[in-house]
Amino acid sequence: MEQDLRTLKKWIDESKDIVFFGGAGVSTESGIPDFRSEDGLYRRQYPYPPEVILSRSFFDGNPEEFFRFYREKMLCLDAKPGPAHQKLAKLEQEGKLRSVVTQNIDGLHQAAGSRRVWELHGSVHRNRCMRCKREYPVEAVAKGEGVPRCECGGIIKPLVVLYEEPLEPDVVRGAQRDIFASDLLIVGGTSLSVYPAAGLVADYGGRIVLINKSPTSYDERAGLLFRESIGKVLGAVC
């Protein structure tokens, strides 16, 4: 691993346009549970499977149960940026990192100081009335019980991408432009199994560094492969 770390440091030193593509593993170091690991949300028992609860059709048909689960399991407002968030913000401040492309919805990259963040699946910090389109902070959803309502009576919906909903086209295009223009793509904390987000990595032809504790279908494409935490790897070279 020491040799791989030296190589990674050399690649980062040589690069001017790095992009980081990350998933839930970035935020597990902040105490936020992921979905697919042994302790992830998908391995726990609920009245409905999490992937059903987090679908648009379930939201429309059973909003009370959706918001109960959402408040209990998806809102981690006391979480603080972890080592990986902080190292990536530092790389951006040094002019090395072009942007972060994230599948997470927790806003911890911005909390750490990252400024150019493409949130593929939206953010818990953005919420909007489905009727009058008024914007609300996360507290409007987090507080209370039942279905959060706007003053106009409309449901306040978190602007997160649910199953059965498309990704925001402008966000996808921005992330794609940055990835294709980068000279080093660091992928971390993601199984690369959720599409269409993972498809953004598929056509990239440059250097790929993959940091993930479990195997992915992209392992053979990686120029460097680490089975360690992202914070540990980045902390050793940044």
Side-chain angles (χ1 to χ4, degrees):
M1 179 176 170
E2 290 302 321
Q3 179 57 50
D4 286 344
L5 287 173
R6 286 193 289 271
T7 301
L8 176 56
K9 187 176 189 314
K10 180 175 181 291
W11 286 5
I12 290 175
D13 289 343
E14 292 173 347
S15 299
K16 297 180 179 179
D17 284 305
I18 302 169
V19 168
F20 179 83
F21 181 100
V26 180
S27 292
T28 54
E29 297 174 17
S30 297
I32 296 178
D34 64 4
F35 286 83
R36 292 174 173 78
S37 71
E38 289 298 321
D39 298 320
L41 290 178
Y42 285 180
R43 302 297 181 96
R44 303 180 189 179
Q45 296 299 315
Y46 299 104
Y48 304 90
E51 59 268 36
V52 172
I53 299 175
L54 296 174
S55 68
R56 179 56 189 263
S57 56
F58 190 91
F59 173 88
D60 290 336
N62 197 344
E64 294 86 358
E65 182 66 20
F66 171 89
F67 279 106
R68 186 191 69 78
F69 179 88
Y70 183 80
R71 289 188 181 102
E72 181 181 343
K73 300 300 181 183
M74 305 304 293
L75 293 181
C76 303
L77 301 183
D78 293 331
K80 305 298 182 185
H85 300 106
Q86 293 163 354
K87 292 298 181 181
L88 291 166
K90 179 174 177 283
L91 282 175
E92 184 185 55
Q93 291 161 9
E94 293 172 349
K96 305 290 289 182
L97 186 76
R98 174 184 287 261
S99 65
V100 169
V101 180
T102 182
Q103 296 171 280
N104 297 336
I105 60 175
D106 50 50
L108 290 181
H109 285 292
Q110 292 92 328
S114 291
R115 302 185 58 158
R116 188 172 176 87
V117 181
W118 299 105
E119 295 175 307
L120 296 175
H121 295 153
S123 172
V124 300
H125 296 282
R126 296 192 298 275
N127 304 271
R128 180 182 298 155
C129 173
M130 297 178 67
R131 179 181 295 174
C132 72
K133 310 305 179 185
R134 177 179 173 180
E135 304 283 341
Y136 282 89
V138 65
E139 289 77 15
V141 173
K143 66 183 180 182
E145 298 179 352
V147 180
R149 295 280 180 177
C150 175
E151 292 179 359
C152 76
I155 295 175
I156 301 173
K157 181 184 181 296
L159 293 184
V160 299
V161 179
L162 304 176
Y163 290 103
E164 303 168 353
E165 290 184 325
L167 303 187
E168 177 62 42
D170 289 343
V171 174
V172 174
R173 283 192 291 268
Q176 190 174 49
R177 281 196 301 267
D178 280 5
I179 288 173
F180 288 169
S182 68
D183 53 13
L184 177 63
L185 179 61
I186 302 176
V187 180
T190 172
S191 63
L192 291 172
S193 61
V194 177
Y195 287 82
L200 294 173
V201 179
D203 297 326
Y204 180 73
R207 285 174 170 172
I208 296 179
V209 177
L210 184 53
I211 310 168
N212 201 57
K213 290 184 177 180
S214 58
T216 79
S217 60
Y218 284 72
D219 286 1
E220 293 185 358
R221 294 191 52 196
L224 289 172
L225 179 63
F226 296 92
R227 291 275 183 256
E228 298 284 351
S229 73
I230 305 163
K232 180 178 180 180
V233 173
L234 294 182
V237 297
C238 300

